[in-house]
Structure formats: C-alpha cells, structure tokens
Amino acid sequence: MRKHNLADLFGRTLVLVAHPDDECIAAGTLLQRIHEPHVLYTTDGAPRDEYFWKRYGSRENYRQLRRAECTRALAHVGVSHFEFIADARGCHDLFIDQWLFKALPQAAEQIAHRIERLQPDAIFTLAYEGGHPDHDSCSLLASVLGREYDIPVWEAPLYYRAPSREGESGPLKQEFLLASDSEIHLSPSQLQMERKAAMCREYVSQGDFLRYFQLEVEVFRPQVTYDYARPPHAGLLNYEAWRWPMTGMEVSAEFAKFIASRSSLSEIRATAPASQDSKL
C-alpha cells in the first residue's frame, strides 16, 4: 500500500464513519484542517431496538432527526460533502445501526463507488477496538478497500472496554487499545475548539454524551494490522457488556467470511484470461 503521508490526510480525504456524531468526537478538529473532506456514513444511525427511537415516534423519525443533526453539525466546520450509503437505491433498510457487520459486501460495493468517484488521497476511519460493531465494521471495510485501491488508511479511537483495567466502570475513551509510536495528537486552536463544540452540541438526540469525551483530544495514526477473524481482545467487549444482541465471535466470524470472499474475488481477477480488448 502507498506510504502514509500527513499531506495526503490533509488533502482529499474520505472520512468513513458509522453514525452521525462519530465524526465530531473522532475528527471535529481534523475536519477543519482537511482541504477537501468527504464524510461517508455507513449506517442510517437508527437501531432496530425501539429503546433508541421510541420517544420520537418511529425509527424513521429518528433516522431523519439524526440526518438533520449531522447536516447542522457539519456546517459548523465547513463540511458540505457528506453522504449516507443507505440512500443508495435499494439500500433503505439494509445499513441499519448496529448491524453493518451483516451487510459488509453491499457496504463495500457502495464505498467502492465513492472511492472511484472521489479518488481520495487518504481514508480516515475508526479503530478496531470492540466498542461498537459498526465502528469495527468501518475499520475492516477501510482496511480491505484501502489495500484494493492502494489508498493509505488512518484510524482514530472512540471507546472500548479493556479487560486489563481493573476497577474501570465503563468504556475507555479516545485512546488506542494497543498503543504505538506512530500516534499523532492534534491540538485545536481556540476557534477550532469552539467550532467543534458547536458541532457536537447539534446532536441533541444523543443526550449528554459530550460529558463523556474530551473535546480537546484528537489522536490518530496510520491504521495498524488487525486480525479481524478474532475479536479485538479476549475480554468482554463493550457492546457485549451493554447486552446487545450480537457477540464479538459472531461479528468476527462475519468479518472472516467477508475477507475470504474478497480474497477469492482477487484471485479470480488475477487468474482471469485477458479480454479481447486488452489484446488490441
């Protein structure tokens, strides 16, 4: 894969995240420094469980509310180019919050279309950490497509539950599960901090989530190599602790199946006979 270069990250970048609000915590400052950011949401932001949307009347109402929130939020940091892959024809009920791991081939196809159209210099996404299955799915999709299109991938942490931290009552936030010497810490100016805070405040539907994160903290690095066929760590994953209806083993099994399918496709392409046109 092409070598990572900060200049590429600050050029034309595909910001690949799972939900409206992921981008503000992970990259609210970075978005203000990228010359040409394109934010791509891989889910509709509305889980099936009515716990998340009941007070809004329907899942569709909640879905539309989150879309309106991200439109206003991104405007605070000057981002006008954003899309939901769920908007693609036939995808309205395919890319559902929490269940992206069940639609990886279709998501990869939609993301590939955007890569081919945008020709980004870099992809920025979320780390593989076991905090949310959609975040981990984004990590996998970016890794696979980054290799296929020879685009450097960068990653940022959001939250996870670490088995090695005794006494922790909740997820750890804004630090990588496994530290490395390639991490870059971005310090916002006062104006960038104010814009990021305004951006985050638009997500009223997410309650008081702002108090759980430090807005001045943004850390990212070149994406490291992960074994997606296994959960991010051997302990209880965050979404398992929240008693969501999927386990890390189920999610990583879908990841392994997806990787195998892409590897098979690559082999078929590599061994296919040259077309008549290519011989002319």
Side-chain angles (χ1 to χ4, degrees):
M1 184 183 292
R2 203 164 73 233
K3 186 177 179 181
H4 289 80
N5 187 314
L6 267 179
D8 290 335
L9 181 61
F10 293 137
R12 178 184 297 163
T13 299
L14 179 64
V15 179
L16 186 70
V17 292
H19 323 101
D21 78 12
D22 291 342
E23 81 294 330
C24 66
I25 295 300
T29 299
L30 181 62
L31 283 168
Q32 299 177 64
R33 300 192 182 182
I34 296 174
H35 175 67
E36 194 176 338
H38 296 259
V39 179
L40 186 60
Y41 299 103
T42 57
T43 79
D44 61 6
R48 291 190 181 114
D49 189 342
E50 71 173 13
Y51 168 83
F52 295 93
W53 52 257
K54 185 175 182 180
R55 61 176 149 163
Y56 301 105
S58 69
R59 196 177 82 84
E60 181 60 26
N61 288 347
Y62 184 59
R63 166 181 163 133
Q64 292 302 326
L65 172 62
R66 298 206 73 186
R67 179 184 298 265
E69 287 176 338
C70 82
T71 302
R72 294 192 299 269
L74 291 171
H76 284 293
V77 291
V79 176
S80 57
H81 299 292
F82 66 94
E83 297 178 75
F84 289 77
I85 64 173
D87 287 346
R89 182 177 297 178
C91 296
H92 182 79
D93 290 316
L94 185 59
F95 304 117
I96 298 173
D97 193 321
Q98 299 182 355
W99 295 98
L100 182 60
F101 72 97
K102 287 290 191 179
L104 295 169
Q106 299 91 333
E109 181 181 7
Q110 293 300 323
I111 297 165
H113 290 332
R114 274 70 177 186
I115 290 175
E116 290 167 5
R117 186 183 78 229
L118 297 172
Q119 295 293 303
D121 301 311
I123 297 173
F124 179 90
T125 194
L126 306 171
Y128 187 49
E129 55 191 5
H132 193 298
D134 293 339
H135 299 171
D136 292 347
S137 296
C138 284
S139 175
L140 168 66
L141 289 162
S143 174
V144 169
L145 291 168
R147 286 198 307 273
E148 291 180 359
Y149 285 92
D150 192 27
I151 301 171
V153 179
W154 298 77
E155 62 178 359
L158 274 182
Y159 56 83
Y160 63 92
R161 193 174 299 264
S164 59
R165 300 284 188 93
E166 295 294 334
E168 291 287 350
S169 60
L172 300 174
K173 304 165 190 74
Q174 297 168 283
E175 60 179 88
F176 285 106
L177 176 62
L178 296 175
S180 72
D181 58 4
S182 61
E183 295 170 12
I184 297 171
H185 293 259
L186 200 61
S187 299
S189 68
Q190 183 61 37
L191 179 58
Q192 288 169 341
M193 184 68 144
E194 291 170 0
R195 288 171 176 163
K196 179 175 179 177
M199 179 187 195
C200 294
R201 285 194 296 269
E202 294 293 351
Y203 288 108
V204 177
S205 69
Q206 303 310 295
D208 59 352
F209 82 105
L210 283 180
R211 72 185 179 91
Y212 295 103
F213 295 96
Q214 300 179 62
L215 296 191
E216 70 276 11
V217 174
E218 281 189 25
V219 58
F220 54 90
R221 69 185 179 190
Q223 188 182 52
V224 301
T225 300
Y226 294 108
D227 181 1
Y228 291 103
R230 297 182 179 183
H233 61 74
L236 186 70
L237 301 186
N238 184 66
Y239 54 87
E240 294 174 333
W242 284 346
R243 298 182 183 275
W244 285 7
M246 70 287 293
T247 67
M249 291 301 294
E250 290 170 343
V251 172
S252 58
E254 292 294 331
F255 287 177
K257 188 190 306 182
F258 173 71
I259 291 169
S261 71
R262 303 300 284 195
S263 298
S264 299
L265 182 60
S266 297
E267 290 174 4
I268 290 171
R269 287 171 176 165
T271 59
S275 68
Q276 185 66 29
D277 289 343
S278 67
K279 298 175 183 177
L280 299 180

